[in-house]
Amino acid sequence: MSSGDEVAETETSADATAGGTPDGHGTLYVVGIGPGLPDHMTKRAKEVIETADVVIASSLYQEFLRDDGTLLPEEETDEDGIATREDGFEQQIVRSTMGRQIELARAAFDHVRDGKDVAHVSGGDPSVYGKSDLIFKMAEEDDATDIPIEIVPGITAALGGSANVGAPLCNDFCTVSLSDKWRGWDEIEEKLRAAAVSDFVIVLYNCWRNYEKAVEIVREERTDDAYVAIVNDAGRADAGRNGESKHITTLGEAVDHDDKVSGMGTSLIIGNHETETWRNDDRTYLVTPRGGRDVDDF
């Protein structure tokens, strides 16, 4: 990436134009929409997507965004992906797929240079196993220092899943992706073991692969009665890939609930030695105290 001197020079150059944007350029927004449904999307994310000249989003996220009118219905979009609103505003909607990410990033740069604002949509938060890093890497590879980039944050699965089961992240926690597509399993195992030894509450992403191996590694460093929450499609109700659900179990029994681990939308929240349950008449919650303080200390 750029050195400190290069960063300073770039910022000075950008500041020379109104608003810090090169003349004639639009802005590339990498937008996190959280779970994707309207109730869990920030106002800023909605506004950026509604006003963007080009929206890049997967079929699933397009479906979510049409749910409340953030995007026009599919039947009002022509074969070129152009949707025209009543006020005459034209918006191009582009379908994103895993195999086209590099192509779409470069296309986004071209749109921005043509003066268009582009919303590149990511589920959850774009900087938590999302698309932010790819956009910056592609900008570096293509020497696209003229492209204004803004990250619009969203609710990530760790936060959405935590809210579903109570307050398990009120002390120090970490996230670990179990996908070995980007890094070797040895590195993932090393991080898992360090997190378990350090008594972090651990949130596992991409549990559709390697989750049983991950649980067994944590068991080597943590007691089997530590609480675990298995959360699917947090914040998506019945609109997700498999439907929203939550199940509280223990570390020793987590792998016995393979039927609860349904795919990419699954996260595991592994409590530390302080994580406990709290029950009311309707349900059981997980709570990790912030520390050994009494209520009067707050």
Side-chain angles (χ1 to χ4, degrees):
M1 301 296 284
S2 301
S3 69
D5 290 341
E6 290 170 333
V7 169
E9 181 180 345
T10 300
E11 290 175 347
T12 301
S13 176
D15 288 341
T17 61
T21 301
D23 288 335
H25 280 46
T27 298
L28 174 53
Y29 298 93
V30 190
V31 187
I33 59 170
L37 299 186
D39 287 348
H40 297 288
M41 185 165 56
T42 68
K43 180 181 179 182
R44 173 64 174 160
K46 181 177 174 62
E47 288 175 346
V48 166
I49 294 169
E50 285 180 331
T51 59
D53 300 290
V54 180
V55 177
I56 302 172
S58 71
S59 296
L60 179 64
Y61 297 150
Q62 287 185 34
E63 180 182 335
F64 290 158
L65 293 168
R66 289 185 168 108
D67 187 60
D68 73 334
T70 303
L71 294 180
L72 286 178
E74 187 172 5
E75 55 268 23
E76 296 184 28
T77 304
D78 68 21
E79 60 183 13
D80 295 320
I82 304 297
T84 304
R85 296 183 180 153
E86 292 182 355
D87 61 1
F89 177 72
E90 290 188 352
Q91 184 176 68
Q92 182 179 0
I93 302 171
V94 180
R95 186 170 72 90
S96 172
T97 60
M98 287 297 292
R100 299 182 63 205
Q101 295 304 315
I102 293 176
E103 169 196 343
L104 291 173
R106 288 185 168 133
F109 298 160
D110 290 338
H111 286 307
V112 169
R113 292 184 177 114
D114 288 339
K116 297 177 180 179
D117 289 332
V118 179
H120 203 313
V121 174
S122 176
D125 182 277
S127 295
V128 183
Y129 313 120
K131 297 176 180 175
S132 296
D133 66 322
L134 172 65
I135 295 298
F136 284 110
K137 283 182 176 296
M138 289 305 303
E140 180 179 25
E141 183 172 314
D142 289 8
D143 196 25
T145 56
D146 61 315
I147 301 297
I149 300 172
E150 180 177 329
I151 308 301
V152 181
I155 298 174
T156 185
L159 303 182
S162 169
N164 266 12
V165 298
L169 305 185
C170 287
N171 207 322
D172 297 330
F173 70 94
C174 68
T175 65
V176 179
S177 170
L178 300 184
S179 174
D180 53 9
K181 180 177 181 179
W182 309 109
R183 61 192 72 249
W185 178 255
D186 288 345
E187 181 180 343
I188 296 171
E189 179 175 344
E190 183 179 1
K191 290 179 178 179
L192 281 170
R193 200 175 300 281
V197 170
S198 301
D199 208 33
F200 283 107
V201 175
I202 306 169
V203 184
L204 302 180
Y205 280 66
N206 293 313
C207 293
W208 51 281
R209 60 199 308 172
N210 299 320
Y211 101 92
E212 293 175 331
K213 291 166 62 176
V215 168
E216 293 306 318
I217 289 167
V218 177
R219 286 183 68 188
E220 294 174 14
E221 311 295 345
R222 201 165 285 190
T223 60
D224 276 354
D225 60 358
Y227 289 108
V228 173
I230 303 172
V231 184
N232 289 294
D233 284 326
R236 288 179 173 172
D238 295 328
R241 295 180 177 89
N242 298 286
E244 186 171 11
S245 66
K246 55 184 177 293
H247 180 76
I248 293 176
T249 183
T250 63
L251 189 60
E253 297 180 354
V255 296
D256 297 331
H257 299 284
D258 188 61
D259 59 315
K260 303 289 193 303
V261 179
S262 59
M264 291 182 67
T266 302
S267 298
L268 262 65
I269 303 174
I270 303 175
N272 66 10
H273 81 281
E274 292 184 303
T275 304
E276 55 197 24
T277 57
W278 184 85
R279 295 176 175 85
N280 64 12
D281 293 339
D282 298 321
R283 55 185 286 198
T284 299
Y285 299 83
L286 287 187
V287 179
T288 305
R290 192 180 304 179
R293 297 185 293 174
D294 296 325
V295 172
D296 292 340
D297 292 332
F298 284 87

